[in-house]
Amino acid sequence: MDATCKLRCMTSLYLLHGDRILLLYRQGSRVIADSWVGAAGGHFEPEELNDPRACVLRELREELSLTESHICDLQMRYITLRRTEKGIRQNYYFFARLPGAEPPLLSSNEGVLRWFSPDELEGLEMPRSARGVIDHYLSVGQHDHALRVGITDDIGTQFTELPVC
């Protein structure tokens, strides 16, 4: 496998509270340009390669100081593939809810956190695959619990629902 086929496995977590979604403005990342991404996420550690849930829970703990007991309804909803000049990015996107009447005050060591209503998301700068996930989730995905896979190219992301095993 040559350098252009290096596989980068990553997770991303979108936290929901009511009709709002928590995003992180990530600055100075070595992987993506300054843009809005899920509230927590990152690269797999070697022992997590077959367990994206373990990776996203570790990132949640490291970046937001939250554990699984602080969230509910954690579900992997999207898996995307995108070829870049540096290799293939394989992203596992999770969604979860924060319980309670008011969302907790959270901070991140990765950038600035902000709660958004769905109508505020359209013009935000996001990585191409994340944009496809958010757009699809708002139009289709929030109404079901399906797992979808998507291929991202210069035009956008095309999703297919994975059948239940």
Side-chain angles (χ1 to χ4, degrees):
M1 182 181 291
D2 65 30
T4 61
C5 290
K6 185 175 180 180
L7 184 62
R8 299 179 75 117
C9 295
M10 297 169 278
T11 60
S12 189
L13 174 63
Y14 293 99
L15 291 175
L16 307 168
H17 189 273
D19 69 340
R20 298 173 68 79
I21 187 166
L22 185 65
L23 297 180
L24 171 78
Y25 189 74
R26 188 177 297 265
Q27 297 172 298
S29 169
R30 58 184 165 82
V31 178
I32 59 172
D34 295 354
S35 60
W36 292 99
V37 296
H43 291 87
F44 282 60
E45 296 295 333
E47 66 275 9
E48 297 166 340
L49 287 179
N50 292 317
D51 193 351
R53 182 183 177 92
C55 180
V56 81
L57 288 172
R58 176 184 52 77
E59 294 288 353
L60 177 69
R61 186 179 61 256
E62 289 177 0
E63 295 179 9
L64 299 177
S65 299
L66 296 175
T67 66
E68 189 171 6
S69 67
H70 292 105
I71 61 174
C72 56
D73 302 327
L74 177 65
Q75 294 182 344
M76 181 172 39
R77 299 295 309 281
Y78 296 90
I79 303 166
T80 63
L81 290 172
R82 178 175 170 229
R83 188 167 196 156
T84 69
E85 64 282 351
K86 295 181 180 178
I88 298 172
R89 291 185 184 172
Q90 184 170 317
N91 290 281
Y92 296 82
Y93 292 91
F94 287 80
F95 286 75
R97 296 202 168 276
L98 283 167
E102 293 293 323
L105 293 175
L106 298 171
S107 62
S108 173
N109 58 5
E110 299 286 331
V112 178
L113 292 169
R114 182 174 160 214
W115 289 99
F116 289 92
S117 62
D119 60 338
E120 295 177 297
L121 298 174
E122 187 174 333
L124 295 180
E125 185 67 33
M126 293 181 181
R128 201 170 283 144
S129 294
R131 169 54 62 198
V133 165
I134 286 296
D135 290 348
H136 190 276
Y137 179 80
L138 292 174
S139 65
V140 177
Q142 68 178 327
H143 305 294
D144 63 31
H145 297 285
L147 175 60
R148 294 178 171 87
V149 294
I151 303 295
T152 302
D153 58 21
D154 291 341
I155 297 170
T157 305
Q158 302 302 313
F159 290 102
T160 299
E161 185 175 327
L162 283 179
V164 176
C165 301

